[in-house]
Amino acid sequence: MTSKKEIKLLTELLELSGVKVVSRHQHKGIGILLQVEPVTKESICHRCGEKSHKLHQNHRYLIKDLPWGESPVFWEINRRQFKCKKCKKPFSENFDWVGKRRTYTKKLANKILPEVLGSDINSVAKKGLVTTEEIERMLKDASFELSNFKPVVP
Ligand SMILES: [Zn+2]
């Protein structure tokens, strides 16, 4: 069992917005598994901005975060799908700490990217924290974000 005090501390440590840690498990040979759940019962539709309470589906999956010492850390997150009553269409909630369809937190990408720039994809992947595919994805995302910050020449 993870105590209430520990849960509160973990949530603060991870600086998560919109979710809280509900449990922590240590799996031999795998690492630490933190289960996180949303704190609100509603989400805002990306199409029309309407608040929705109507839960359509739970979508739980694992993402990786920064390791704690030698231990890899995984979060089991729940990216819920809501049904918008105005658009009549389902939409998935967004979190600002993980990209859509990404298997790692933005914090982890921010740690890996400088390592890749200082060496190469294969040597970073060999450390076992992320795969070469994930690193390529991180690089693509980073170059996309940079292209949005290019100064506009009049
Ligand atoms: Zn809508």
Side-chain angles (χ1 to χ4, degrees):
M1 262 312 269
T2 319
S3 74
K4 262 191 184 161
K5 207 175 161 191
E6 196 187 349
I7 294 282
K8 194 169 172 276
L9 186 71
L10 284 171
T11 304
E12 282 169 10
L13 270 176
L14 297 174
E15 298 172 339
L16 298 172
S17 62
V19 289
K20 60 172 186 220
V21 178
V22 292
S23 72
R24 178 178 68 93
H25 300 278
Q26 178 93 40
H27 291 271
K28 228 182 164 189
I30 300 171
I32 297 159
L33 182 71
L34 297 172
Q35 202 187 352
V36 306
E37 281 293 331
V39 287
T40 56
K41 286 202 172 0
E42 76 267 321
S43 191
I44 290 162
C45 171
H46 321 312
R47 291 184 197 90
C48 68
E50 182 86 5
K51 234 185 215 175
S52 181
H53 302 265
K54 202 171 173 351
L55 185 66
H56 187 60
Q57 239 170 17
N58 283 309
H59 184 205
R60 291 189 167 86
Y61 59 100
L62 291 181
I63 60 169
K64 294 178 215 178
D65 190 36
L66 298 174
W68 293 358
E70 296 291 301
S71 264
V73 174
F74 297 88
W75 297 359
E76 189 195 309
I77 66 167
N78 181 10
R79 198 195 288 271
R80 298 169 298 178
Q81 230 184 28
F82 289 87
K83 184 116 181 228
C84 177
K85 56 177 188 258
K86 222 170 170 185
C87 308
K88 309 260 185 282
K89 280 179 191 156
F91 67 92
S92 295
E93 66 186 325
N94 279 334
F95 299 117
D96 55 13
W97 35 264
V98 60
K100 270 184 197 167
R101 294 185 193 88
R102 298 296 177 265
T103 51
Y104 43 81
T105 60
K106 288 183 180 171
K107 255 192 293 176
L108 182 57
N110 290 341
K111 180 195 181 284
I112 296 292
L113 283 172
E115 284 184 24
V116 174
L117 298 175
S119 58
D120 63 273
I121 293 181
N122 287 324
S123 354
V124 176
K126 257 190 206 139
K127 293 180 188 169
L129 207 54
V130 283
T131 63
T132 52
E133 288 80 14
E134 284 170 334
I135 296 171
E136 279 163 10
R137 192 72 251 178
M138 288 172 184
L139 286 168
K140 258 187 208 163
D141 286 348
S143 67
F144 177 77
E145 272 173 34
L146 279 179
S147 68
N148 286 339
F149 288 113
K150 267 185 191 151
V152 182
V153 182

